[in-house]
Coordinates of all heavy atoms in Angstrom, one line a residue:
M33 N 1.6 11.3 -4.2 CA 0.8 10.2 -4.5 C 1.6 8.9 -4.3 O 2.8 8.8 -4.5 CB 0.4 10.2 -6.0 CG -0.5 11.4 -6.3 SD -2.2 11.1 -5.6 CE -3.2 11.6 -7.0
V34 N 0.8 7.9 -3.9 CA 1.4 6.6 -3.7 C 0.8 5.6 -4.7 O -0.4 5.6 -4.9 CB 1.2 6.0 -2.3 CG1 1.8 4.6 -2.1 CG2 1.7 6.9 -1.2
N35 N 1.7 5.0 -5.5 CA 1.2 4.1 -6.5 C 0.9 2.7 -5.9 O 1.8 2.0 -5.4 CB 2.3 3.9 -7.6 CG 1.8 3.2 -8.8 OD1 0.6 3.3 -9.2 ND2 2.7 2.5 -9.5
Y36 N -0.4 2.4 -5.9 CA -0.8 1.1 -5.4 C -1.1 0.1 -6.6 O -1.5 0.5 -7.6 CB -2.1 1.2 -4.6 CG -1.9 1.4 -3.1 CD1 -1.4 2.6 -2.7 CD2 -2.1 0.4 -2.2 CE1 -1.1 2.8 -1.3 CE2 -1.8 0.6 -0.9 CZ -1.4 1.8 -0.4 OH -1.1 1.9 0.9
I37 N -0.7 -1.1 -6.4 CA -0.9 -2.2 -7.4 C -1.7 -3.3 -6.8 O -1.4 -3.8 -5.7 CB 0.5 -2.7 -7.9 CG1 1.4 -1.5 -8.4 CG2 0.4 -3.8 -8.9 CD1 2.8 -1.8 -8.6
C38 N -2.7 -3.8 -7.6 CA -3.5 -4.9 -7.2 C -2.7 -6.2 -7.3 O -2.1 -6.5 -8.3 CB -4.7 -5.0 -8.0 SG -5.7 -6.4 -7.6
L39 N -2.6 -7.0 -6.2 CA -1.9 -8.2 -6.2 C -2.5 -9.3 -7.1 O -1.9 -10.3 -7.5 CB -1.7 -8.8 -4.8 CG -1.0 -7.8 -3.8 CD1 -1.0 -8.5 -2.4 CD2 0.5 -7.6 -4.3
D40 N -3.8 -9.1 -7.4 CA -4.5 -10.1 -8.2 C -4.6 -9.8 -9.7 O -4.4 -10.6 -10.5 CB -6.0 -10.3 -7.6 CG -5.9 -10.9 -6.2 OD1 -5.0 -11.7 -5.9 OD2 -6.8 -10.6 -5.4
C41 N -5.0 -8.5 -10.0 CA -5.2 -8.2 -11.4 C -4.3 -7.2 -11.9 O -4.4 -6.8 -13.1 CB -6.7 -7.8 -11.6 SG -7.0 -6.1 -11.0
D42 N -3.3 -6.7 -11.1 CA -2.3 -5.8 -11.6 C -2.7 -4.4 -11.9 O -2.0 -3.6 -12.6 CB -1.5 -6.4 -12.7 CG 0.0 -6.1 -12.7 OD1 0.5 -6.1 -11.6 OD2 0.6 -5.9 -13.7
T43 N -3.9 -4.0 -11.5 CA -4.4 -2.7 -11.7 C -3.6 -1.7 -10.9 O -3.2 -2.0 -9.7 CB -5.9 -2.6 -11.3 OG1 -6.7 -3.3 -12.2 CG2 -6.4 -1.1 -11.3
H44 N -3.2 -0.6 -11.5 CA -2.5 0.5 -10.8 C -3.5 1.6 -10.4 O -4.3 1.9 -11.1 CB -1.4 1.0 -11.6 CG -0.3 0.1 -11.9 ND1 1.0 0.4 -11.8 CD2 -0.3 -1.2 -12.2 CE1 1.8 -0.6 -12.1 NE2 1.0 -1.7 -12.3
E45 N -3.2 2.1 -9.2 CA -4.1 3.3 -8.8 C -3.2 4.2 -7.9 O -2.5 3.8 -7.0 CB -5.3 2.8 -7.9 CG -6.3 3.9 -7.6 CD -7.5 3.3 -6.9 OE1 -7.7 2.1 -6.9 OE2 -8.2 4.2 -6.3
E46 N -3.3 5.5 -8.2 CA -2.6 6.5 -7.5 C -3.5 7.0 -6.3 O -4.6 7.4 -6.5 CB -2.3 7.7 -8.3 CG -1.4 7.4 -9.5 CD 0.0 7.8 -9.3 OE1 0.2 9.0 -9.1 OE2 0.9 7.0 -9.3
I47 N -2.9 6.8 -5.1 CA -3.7 7.2 -3.9 C -2.9 8.4 -3.2 O -1.7 8.2 -3.0 CB -3.9 6.0 -3.0 CG1 -4.7 5.0 -3.7 CG2 -4.6 6.5 -1.7 CD1 -5.0 3.7 -2.9
P48 N -3.6 9.5 -2.9 CA -2.9 10.6 -2.3 C -2.2 10.2 -1.0 O -2.7 9.4 -0.2 CB -4.0 11.6 -2.0 CG -5.1 11.3 -3.0 CD -5.0 9.8 -3.2
L49 N -1.0 10.7 -0.8 CA -0.2 10.3 0.4 C -0.9 10.6 1.7 O -0.9 9.8 2.6 CB 1.2 11.1 0.3 CG 2.1 10.8 1.5 CD1 2.5 9.3 1.5 CD2 3.4 11.7 1.4
S50 N -1.7 11.7 1.7 CA -2.4 12.1 2.9 C -3.5 11.0 3.3 O -3.7 10.7 4.4 CB -3.1 13.5 2.7 OG -4.0 13.4 1.6
V51 N -4.1 10.5 2.2 CA -5.1 9.4 2.5 C -4.4 8.2 3.0 O -4.9 7.5 4.0 CB -5.8 9.1 1.1 CG1 -6.8 7.9 1.3 CG2 -6.6 10.3 0.7
V52 N -3.3 7.8 2.4 CA -2.6 6.6 2.9 C -2.1 6.8 4.3 O -2.2 5.9 5.2 CB -1.4 6.3 2.0 CG1 -0.6 5.1 2.5 CG2 -1.8 6.1 0.5
R53 N -1.6 8.0 4.6 CA -1.1 8.2 6.0 C -2.2 8.2 7.0 O -2.1 7.7 8.1 CB -0.4 9.6 6.0 CG 1.0 9.5 5.3 CD 1.7 10.8 5.3 NE 2.4 11.0 6.6 CZ 3.7 10.6 6.8 NH1 4.4 10.1 5.8 NH2 4.2 10.8 7.9
D54 N -3.4 8.8 6.6 CA -4.6 8.7 7.5 C -4.9 7.3 7.8 O -5.2 6.9 8.9 CB -5.8 9.4 6.9 CG -5.6 11.0 7.0 OD1 -4.7 11.4 7.7 OD2 -6.4 11.7 6.4
F55 N -4.9 6.5 6.7 CA -5.3 5.1 6.8 C -4.3 4.3 7.7 O -4.6 3.5 8.6 CB -5.3 4.5 5.4 CG -6.2 3.3 5.2 CD1 -7.6 3.6 5.1 CD2 -5.7 2.0 5.1 CE1 -8.4 2.5 4.9 CE2 -6.6 1.0 4.9 CZ -8.0 1.2 4.8
D56 N -3.0 4.7 7.5 CA -1.9 4.1 8.3 C -2.1 4.4 9.8 O -2.0 3.6 10.7 CB -0.6 4.7 7.8 CG 0.6 3.9 8.2 OD1 0.4 2.8 8.8 OD2 1.7 4.2 7.8
A57 N -2.5 5.7 10.1 CA -2.6 6.1 11.5 C -3.8 5.4 12.1 O -3.8 5.2 13.3 CB -2.8 7.6 11.5
M58 N -4.8 5.1 11.4 CA -6.0 4.5 11.9 C -5.8 3.0 12.2 O -6.5 2.3 13.0 CB -7.2 4.6 11.0 CG -7.8 6.0 11.0 SD -9.4 6.0 10.1 CE -8.8 5.6 8.4
D59 N -4.8 2.4 11.4 CA -4.6 1.0 11.5 C -3.8 0.6 12.7 O -2.6 0.9 12.8 CB -3.9 0.5 10.2 CG -3.7 -1.0 10.1 OD1 -4.2 -1.7 11.0 OD2 -3.0 -1.4 9.2
L60 N -4.4 0.0 13.7 CA -3.7 -0.3 14.9 C -3.2 -1.7 14.9 O -2.7 -2.3 15.9 CB -4.7 -0.1 16.1 CG -5.3 1.3 16.2 CD1 -6.3 1.3 17.4 CD2 -4.2 2.3 16.5
G61 N -3.2 -2.3 13.7 CA -2.8 -3.7 13.6 C -1.3 -3.9 13.4 O -0.5 -3.1 14.0
D62 N -0.9 -4.8 12.7 CA 0.5 -5.2 12.5 C 1.2 -4.1 11.7 O 0.9 -3.8 10.6 CB 0.5 -6.5 11.7 CG 1.9 -7.1 11.7 OD1 2.9 -6.4 12.1 OD2 2.0 -8.3 11.3
E63 N 2.3 -3.6 12.3 CA 3.0 -2.5 11.6 C 3.9 -3.1 10.5 O 4.4 -2.3 9.7 CB 3.9 -1.8 12.6 CG 3.2 -0.9 13.5 CD 4.2 -0.2 14.5 OE1 5.4 -0.3 14.3 OE2 3.7 0.4 15.5
S64 N 4.1 -4.4 10.4 CA 4.9 -4.9 9.4 C 4.3 -5.0 8.1 O 4.9 -5.3 7.1 CB 5.4 -6.3 9.8 OG 4.4 -7.2 9.8
V65 N 3.0 -4.8 8.0 CA 2.3 -4.8 6.7 C 1.8 -3.4 6.4 O 1.4 -2.6 7.3 CB 1.1 -5.8 6.6 CG1 1.6 -7.2 6.7 CG2 0.1 -5.5 7.8
A66 N 2.0 -3.0 5.2 CA 1.6 -1.7 4.7 C 0.1 -1.5 4.7 O -0.7 -2.5 4.7 CB 2.1 -1.4 3.3
P67 N -0.4 -0.2 4.8 CA -1.9 0.0 4.7 C -2.3 -0.5 3.3 O -1.6 -0.2 2.3 CB -2.0 1.5 4.9 CG -0.7 2.1 4.8 CD 0.3 1.0 5.1
R68 N -3.4 -1.2 3.3 CA -3.8 -1.8 2.0 C -5.2 -1.3 1.6 O -6.0 -1.0 2.5 CB -3.8 -3.3 2.1 CG -2.4 -3.9 2.0 CD -2.2 -5.2 2.6 NE -2.4 -5.1 4.1 CZ -2.6 -6.1 4.9 NH1 -2.6 -7.3 4.5 NH2 -2.8 -5.8 6.2
F69 N -5.5 -1.3 0.4 CA -6.8 -0.9 -0.1 C -7.4 -2.0 -0.9 O -6.7 -2.9 -1.4 CB -6.7 0.4 -0.9 CG -6.3 1.6 -0.1 CD1 -4.9 1.9 0.0 CD2 -7.2 2.4 0.5 CE1 -4.5 3.0 0.8 CE2 -6.8 3.5 1.2 CZ -5.5 3.8 1.4
S70 N -8.7 -2.0 -1.1 CA -9.4 -3.0 -1.9 C -9.4 -2.5 -3.4 O -9.7 -1.4 -3.6 CB -10.8 -3.2 -1.5 OG -10.8 -3.8 -0.2
C71 N -9.1 -3.4 -4.3 CA -9.1 -3.1 -5.7 C -10.6 -2.9 -6.2 O -11.5 -3.7 -5.9 CB -8.5 -4.3 -6.5 SG -8.6 -4.1 -8.3
E72 N -10.8 -1.8 -6.9 CA -12.1 -1.5 -7.4 C -12.5 -2.4 -8.6 O -13.7 -2.6 -8.9 CB -12.2 0.0 -7.8 CG -12.2 0.9 -6.6 CD -12.4 2.4 -7.0 OE1 -12.5 2.6 -8.2 OE2 -12.3 3.2 -6.2
Q73 N -11.5 -3.0 -9.2 CA -11.8 -3.8 -10.4 C -12.2 -5.3 -10.0 O -13.1 -5.8 -10.5 CB -10.5 -3.9 -11.3 CG -10.0 -2.5 -11.7 CD -11.0 -1.7 -12.5 OE1 -11.7 -2.3 -13.4 NE2 -11.0 -0.5 -12.3
C74 N -11.4 -5.8 -9.0 CA -11.6 -7.2 -8.7 C -11.9 -7.5 -7.2 O -12.1 -8.7 -6.8 CB -10.5 -8.1 -9.2 SG -9.0 -7.9 -8.2
G75 N -11.8 -6.5 -6.4 CA -11.9 -6.7 -4.9 C -10.7 -7.3 -4.3 O -10.8 -7.6 -3.1
G76 N -9.7 -7.4 -5.0 CA -8.4 -8.0 -4.5 C -7.7 -7.0 -3.6 O -8.2 -5.8 -3.4
E77 N -6.5 -7.3 -3.1 CA -5.8 -6.5 -2.2 C -4.8 -5.7 -3.0 O -4.0 -6.2 -3.8 CB -5.0 -7.4 -1.3 CG -4.4 -6.7 -0.1 CD -3.9 -7.7 0.9 OE1 -2.9 -8.3 0.8 OE2 -4.7 -8.0 1.9
M78 N -4.8 -4.4 -2.7 CA -3.8 -3.5 -3.4 C -2.7 -3.2 -2.4 O -2.9 -2.9 -1.2 CB -4.5 -2.2 -3.9 CG -5.6 -2.4 -4.8 SD -6.1 -1.0 -5.7 CE -4.8 -0.9 -7.0
Y79 N -1.5 -3.2 -2.9 CA -0.3 -3.0 -2.1 C 0.5 -1.8 -2.7 O 0.6 -1.7 -3.9 CB 0.6 -4.3 -2.0 CG 1.4 -4.4 -0.8 CD1 0.9 -4.9 0.4 CD2 2.7 -4.0 -0.8 CE1 1.7 -5.0 1.5 CE2 3.5 -4.1 0.3 CZ 3.0 -4.6 1.5 OH 3.8 -4.7 2.6
P80 N 1.2 -1.0 -1.8 CA 1.9 0.1 -2.4 C 3.2 -0.4 -3.1 O 3.9 -1.3 -2.6 CB 2.3 1.0 -1.2 CG 2.3 0.0 0.0 CD 1.2 -1.0 -0.4
E81 N 3.5 0.3 -4.3 CA 4.7 0.0 -5.0 C 5.9 0.4 -4.1 O 6.9 -0.3 -3.9 CB 4.8 0.8 -6.3 CG 6.0 0.4 -7.1 CD 5.9 1.1 -8.5 OE1 5.5 2.3 -8.5 OE2 6.2 0.5 -9.5
Y82 N 5.8 1.6 -3.4 CA 6.7 2.0 -2.4 C 6.0 3.0 -1.5 O 5.4 3.9 -2.0 CB 8.0 2.6 -3.0 CG 8.9 3.2 -1.9 CD1 9.7 2.4 -1.2 CD2 8.8 4.6 -1.7 CE1 10.4 2.9 -0.2 CE2 9.6 5.1 -0.6 CZ 10.4 4.3 0.1 OH 11.1 4.8 1.2
Y83 N 6.2 2.8 -0.2 CA 5.6 3.7 0.7 C 6.4 3.6 2.0 O 6.7 2.5 2.5 CB 4.1 3.3 1.0 CG 3.5 4.0 2.2 CD1 3.3 5.4 2.2 CD2 3.1 3.3 3.3 CE1 2.8 6.0 3.3 CE2 2.5 3.9 4.4 CZ 2.4 5.3 4.4 OH 1.8 5.9 5.5
K84 N 6.7 4.8 2.6 CA 7.4 4.8 3.9 C 6.3 5.2 4.9 O 5.8 6.3 4.8 CB 8.5 5.8 3.9 CG 9.3 5.8 5.2 CD 10.6 6.6 5.0 CE 11.4 6.6 6.4 NZ 12.6 7.4 6.3
G85 N 6.1 4.3 5.8 CA 5.0 4.5 6.8 C 5.3 5.5 7.9 O 6.4 6.0 8.0
I86 N 4.3 5.9 8.6 CA 4.4 6.9 9.7 C 5.3 6.4 10.8 O 5.8 7.2 11.6 CB 3.0 7.3 10.2 CG1 2.3 6.1 10.8 CG2 2.2 8.0 9.2 CD1 0.9 6.5 11.4
H87 N 5.6 5.1 10.9 CA 6.5 4.6 11.9 C 7.9 4.5 11.3 O 8.8 3.8 12.0 CB 6.0 3.3 12.5 CG 4.6 3.4 13.0 ND1 4.3 4.1 14.2 CD2 3.4 2.9 12.6 CE1 3.0 4.1 14.4 NE2 2.4 3.4 13.5
G88 N 8.1 5.0 10.1 CA 9.4 4.9 9.5 C 9.7 3.6 8.8 O 10.9 3.4 8.3
I89 N 8.8 2.7 8.7 CA 9.0 1.5 8.1 C 8.7 1.6 6.6 O 7.8 2.3 6.1 CB 8.0 0.4 8.6 CG1 8.3 0.2 10.1 CG2 8.2 -0.9 7.9 CD1 7.2 -0.7 10.8
E90 N 9.6 1.1 5.8 CA 9.5 1.2 4.3 C 8.8 -0.1 3.8 O 9.2 -1.2 4.2 CB 10.8 1.4 3.6 CG 11.4 2.7 4.0 CD 12.8 2.9 3.3 OE1 13.7 2.2 3.6 OE2 12.8 3.8 2.4
Y91 N 7.8 0.1 2.9 CA 7.1 -1.0 2.3 C 7.3 -1.0 0.8 O 7.3 0.0 0.2 CB 5.6 -1.0 2.6 CG 5.3 -0.8 4.1 CD1 5.0 0.5 4.6 CD2 5.3 -1.9 4.9 CE1 4.7 0.7 5.9 CE2 5.0 -1.7 6.3 CZ 4.7 -0.4 6.8 OH 4.3 -0.2 8.1
R92 N 7.5 -2.2 0.2 CA 7.7 -2.3 -1.2 C 6.8 -3.5 -1.7 O 6.7 -4.5 -1.0 CB 9.1 -2.5 -1.6 CG 10.0 -1.3 -1.4 CD 11.5 -1.6 -1.8 NE 12.3 -0.4 -1.6 CZ 12.8 0.0 -0.4 NH1 12.6 -0.7 0.6 NH2 13.6 1.1 -0.4
I93 N 6.3 -3.3 -2.9 CA 5.5 -4.4 -3.5 C 6.3 -5.7 -3.6 O 5.8 -6.7 -3.5 CB 5.0 -3.9 -4.9 CG1 4.0 -5.0 -5.5 CG2 6.1 -3.7 -5.9 CD1 2.6 -4.7 -5.1
T94 N 7.7 -5.5 -3.7 CA 8.5 -6.7 -3.9 C 8.6 -7.5 -2.6 O 9.0 -8.6 -2.6 CB 9.9 -6.3 -4.4 OG1 10.4 -5.3 -3.5 CG2 9.9 -5.9 -5.8
D95 N 8.1 -6.9 -1.5 CA 8.1 -7.6 -0.2 C 7.0 -8.7 -0.2 O 7.1 -9.7 0.5 CB 7.7 -6.7 1.0 CG 8.8 -5.7 1.2 OD1 9.9 -5.9 0.8 OD2 8.5 -4.6 1.9
V96 N 6.0 -8.5 -1.0 CA 4.9 -9.5 -1.0 C 4.7 -10.1 -2.4 O 3.9 -11.1 -2.5 CB 3.5 -8.8 -0.6 CG1 3.6 -8.3 0.8 CG2 3.2 -7.6 -1.6
R97 N 5.4 -9.7 -3.4 CA 5.2 -10.2 -4.7 C 6.6 -10.3 -5.4 O 7.3 -9.2 -5.5 CB 4.2 -9.4 -5.5 CG 3.8 -10.1 -6.8 CD 2.8 -9.2 -7.6 NE 3.5 -8.1 -8.2 CZ 3.0 -7.2 -9.0 NH1 1.7 -7.4 -9.3 NH2 3.7 -6.2 -9.5
P98 N 7.0 -11.4 -6.0 CA 8.2 -11.4 -6.7 C 8.1 -10.5 -8.0 O 7.0 -10.3 -8.5 CB 8.4 -12.9 -7.1 CG 7.1 -13.6 -6.8 CD 6.3 -12.7 -5.9
I99 N 9.3 -10.0 -8.4 CA 9.3 -9.1 -9.6 C 8.9 -9.9 -10.8 O 9.4 -11.0 -11.0 CB 10.7 -8.5 -9.7 CG1 11.0 -7.6 -8.5 CG2 10.7 -7.6 -11.0 CD1 12.4 -7.1 -8.5
Ligands
LIG343 ZN1 -7.6 -6.2 -8.8

C-alpha cells in the first residue's frame, strides 16, 4: 500500500501499490511528479507520503509540502 495524503485537507488514504503503478504507467506526462489522485473529501490533490516510481524515481510528500 502507498499512503497518500491530501495537500488541501490532510486526509490520508491507502492506495494499493498495483493501482499506483498502473496509474504511473499510464501517465505519459512529467516524470518528475508522482502519480496523483483526487481527494474524495475535498477534490484536492493527493500526493504519496513515499513512493518509488516505475522509472526508479523516488517521490516524497516533503517534495511538495514542508513538514
Ligand atoms: Zn482533501
Side-chain angles (χ1 to χ4, degrees):
M33 293 291 224
V34 180
N35 192 30
Y36 267 74
I37 301 168
C38 178
L39 299 176
D40 292 330
C41 74
D42 218 36
T43 291
H44 291 224
E45 188 177 342
E46 299 256 300
I47 299 178
L49 181 61
S50 59
V51 173
V52 180
R53 291 180 79 92
D54 281 352
F55 210 75
D56 199 0
M58 283 189 299
D59 183 7
L60 302 175
D62 191 349
E63 284 179 15
S64 68
V65 291
R68 284 154 294 167
F69 294 89
S70 293
C71 175
E72 289 181 4
Q73 306 297 321
C74 75
E77 192 169 81
M78 301 196 81
Y79 206 85
E81 185 174 41
Y82 172 78
Y83 167 64
K84 186 172 181 180
I86 57 175
H87 304 291
I89 301 170
E90 293 181 293
Y91 308 99
R92 290 179 178 82
I93 187 90
T94 49
D95 294 341
V96 294
R97 193 182 70 172
I99 299 171

